[in-house]
């Protein structure tokens, strides 16, 4: 039991770090908001697939929020923590009945991604105003779409090799 908890904790931390790296290092500036688009979403979806909805959501929230912290965007830490957690949790809920089903993976990542687009737009309206928020919709939509596409490619390539730790509890199997 302790061994399973330790492995899950380590894998959650590892996926949070991977989400952080994909978010922080691979970014495309967005002049409309002063923010950026990134590649972290595909790693968030992969984290959910590997860790299940709860630990995948934790990895998503921590990795995304850490990126905001280190990027000097402290004002975005709390919104990112909440939005990325919920986005990942939504996907995890959709795929829970059969995590290896590609149709569910696609549906879950799209529904979670749509939530993200709406949530960030609403937060930007409050923080930046309507015009910058609306101007940022294409960028966050492209970011989310690219994240879904890359995730689906990775999921297809790694099919049968991805270990769902929430179910099996062992990364070596």
């Amino acid at each position: 039991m302790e061994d399973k908890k330790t492995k899950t904790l380590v894998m959650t931390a590892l996926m949070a770090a991977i989400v952080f790296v994909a978010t922080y290092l691979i970014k495309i500036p967005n002049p409309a908001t002063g923010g950026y688009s990134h590649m972290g979403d595909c790693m968030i979806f992969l984290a959910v697939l590997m860790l299940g909805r709860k630990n995948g959501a934790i990895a998503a929230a921590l990795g995304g929020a850490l990126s905001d912290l280190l990027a000097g965007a402290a004002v975005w830490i709390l919104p990112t923590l909440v939005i990325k957690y919920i986005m990942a949790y939504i996907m995890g809920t959709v795929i829970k009945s059969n995590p290896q089903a590609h149709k569910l993976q696609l549906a879950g990542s799209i529904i979670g991604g749509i939530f993200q687009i709406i949530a960030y737009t609403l937060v930007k309206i409050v923080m930046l105003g309507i015009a910058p928020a609306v101007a940022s919709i294409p960028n966050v939509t492209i970011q989310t779409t690219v994240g879904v596409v890359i995730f689906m490619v990775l999921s297809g390539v790694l099919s049968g090799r991805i270990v769902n730790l929430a179910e099996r509890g062992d990364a070596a199997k």
Side-chain angles (χ1 to χ4, degrees):
M1 185 71 160
E2 184 77 23
D3 192 37
K4 180 179 178 180
K5 286 182 180 179
T6 301
K7 286 179 184 179
T8 300
L9 177 65
V10 168
M11 289 303 295
T12 302
L14 177 62
M15 287 309 299
I18 290 170
V19 169
F20 162 74
V21 167
T23 303
Y24 187 76
L25 293 181
I26 307 169
K27 48 186 156 181
I28 303 151
N30 179 352
T33 63
Y36 58 89
S37 293
H38 56 78
M39 299 306 300
D41 292 341
C42 61
M43 294 298 113
I44 287 172
F45 300 137
L46 190 61
V48 173
L49 184 60
M50 291 178 64
L51 302 171
R53 74 178 168 190
K54 180 182 148 204
N55 290 313
I58 291 169
L62 293 177
L66 182 60
S67 178
D68 285 340
L69 175 67
L70 295 180
V75 69
W76 288 100
I77 294 172
L78 184 58
T80 293
L81 196 69
V82 172
I83 292 168
K84 295 297 186 180
Y85 183 93
I86 294 171
M87 177 180 83
Y89 199 86
I90 288 169
M91 182 198 172
T93 299
V94 171
I95 70 168
K96 188 175 182 183
S97 65
N98 185 1
Q100 298 305 316
H102 291 289
K103 287 180 182 180
L104 289 179
Q105 292 171 7
L106 180 61
S109 58
I110 289 173
I111 294 167
I114 290 169
F115 165 80
Q116 170 181 249
I117 294 164
I118 293 168
Y120 271 116
T121 301
L122 293 174
V123 170
K124 289 173 187 174
I125 287 171
V126 172
M127 293 175 66
L128 305 171
I130 292 174
V134 170
S136 74
I137 291 172
N139 282 1
V140 73
T141 302
I142 291 168
Q143 168 190 304
T144 303
T145 303
V146 169
V148 169
V149 169
I150 292 173
F151 163 68
M152 290 307 296
V153 169
L154 285 173
S155 174
V157 169
L158 298 173
S159 183
R161 291 178 181 84
I162 296 176
V163 176
N164 185 322
L165 296 176
E167 291 177 0
R168 297 173 75 184
D170 190 328
K173 290 183 181 174

